[in-house]
Amino acid sequence: PDEQKREVRVLREAEVAAIIAHAKEPYVTMFAILGMTGIRASELFGLQLHDLDFRQKLIHIRRSLDSRTREVQPTKTKASANSIPMPPELEERLRNYLQRRRCQNAAGFLFTNRNGNPYAIGKVVEYGLWPAQDAAGIRRSGLHAFRHQVATELQEHGAPLKVVQRQLRHSDPRTTLRYAHVIEDTHRKAMESLAAGIEQHLKRQLESSS
């Protein structure tokens, strides 16, 4: 019953920007996709060229990739297999990546190594994410921190819960709430008022005793 839960690492917009700035391709495009969409890492490595719909400005999530076996498998849930918006900034990065950096492969995966094999999540973290975070002076995290970042930033920008749920493709909104690490203004103001009251009482007591 007293088992400790693993700390949830949440990146911020500025940290994502710094990671992208200090990373090298193909990691730059990987982190841009994660930070601008919130898709799972397994879904990122399952992306194929025809999943990018530049005409409708959509990214179709149709499959995931097992990080250990690197085999194609269905998405985590039925709700996960859906389409999400492709922001203009991400579209530009994807077009540049496809023109200059993408390694050709028979399966049409978006990200493969020089041997034509999909990347392993652990290798991307070790050789792509951590060096960029170290260079930017950011505490290390895993790739899932990008997903928490998107959920949190969307809520802080005022996006309705249904929008965040649709972006993360959760079948249950309660799952989405666990991803959004946001303190409402009323909650924050109430706690600030409480803390200020304690400090005021403390100040009076110190003044009266001096």
Side-chain angles (χ1 to χ4, degrees):
D2 297 327
E3 181 180 358
Q4 292 183 348
K5 293 183 178 180
R6 186 174 61 179
E7 178 189 7
V8 176
R9 178 79 168 92
V10 183
L11 295 170
R12 307 301 300 185
E13 283 182 354
E15 290 180 314
V16 173
I19 289 170
I20 293 173
H22 287 85
K24 298 178 180 179
E25 288 288 11
Y27 306 121
V28 168
T29 304
M30 291 181 186
F31 302 151
I33 293 174
L34 292 175
M36 296 181 186
T37 67
I39 66 174
R40 300 176 179 90
S42 59
E43 296 166 345
L44 171 73
F45 299 119
L47 285 176
Q48 295 178 348
L49 186 59
H50 60 87
D51 296 325
L52 305 180
D53 189 341
F54 290 108
R55 185 175 62 85
Q56 298 189 70
K57 315 299 182 187
L58 294 172
I59 299 176
H60 303 294
I61 309 300
R62 295 170 168 141
R63 73 198 68 77
S64 62
L65 206 70
D66 185 276
S67 179
R68 184 177 58 84
T69 65
R70 301 185 186 180
E71 293 182 355
V72 175
Q73 58 187 11
T75 53
K76 186 175 182 180
T77 64
K78 290 183 178 180
S80 298
N82 213 321
S83 301
I84 56 175
M86 181 192 298
E89 294 79 5
L90 183 56
E91 177 187 359
E92 182 179 356
R93 286 187 172 276
L94 286 169
R95 288 186 182 276
N96 290 335
Y97 171 73
L98 293 176
Q99 290 175 0
R100 302 176 184 177
R101 301 288 184 174
R102 178 175 173 266
C103 294
Q104 300 294 328
N105 61 95
F109 285 113
L110 205 58
F111 299 106
T112 56
N113 58 27
R114 294 177 180 178
N115 298 322
N117 298 318
Y119 283 89
I121 292 177
K123 296 296 183 182
V124 171
V125 171
E126 183 179 358
Y127 297 111
L129 180 60
W130 286 349
Q133 288 179 322
D134 292 345
I138 299 171
R139 186 161 60 92
R140 289 182 174 183
S141 72
L143 296 179
H144 206 64
F146 288 95
R147 190 164 170 82
H148 285 272
Q149 165 253 325
V150 169
T152 301
E153 299 286 1
L154 284 177
Q155 289 258 339
E156 290 185 344
H157 283 294
L161 178 60
K162 287 185 177 181
V163 172
V164 185
Q165 180 185 356
R166 173 68 186 275
Q167 183 65 28
L168 298 186
R169 292 155 292 111
H170 287 147
S171 56
D172 190 338
R174 290 174 296 183
T175 305
T176 306
L177 288 174
R178 292 201 297 268
Y179 273 78
H181 305 269
V182 179
I183 300 297
E184 295 179 357
D185 287 342
T186 52
H187 185 176
R188 188 179 299 279
K189 289 179 180 178
M191 297 311 299
E192 289 176 352
S193 177
L194 184 151
I198 293 175
E199 288 293 346
Q200 289 175 2
H201 283 292
L202 178 59
K203 185 179 180 179
R204 294 194 193 99
Q205 290 180 20
L206 292 175
E207 290 175 347
S208 61
S209 62
S210 59

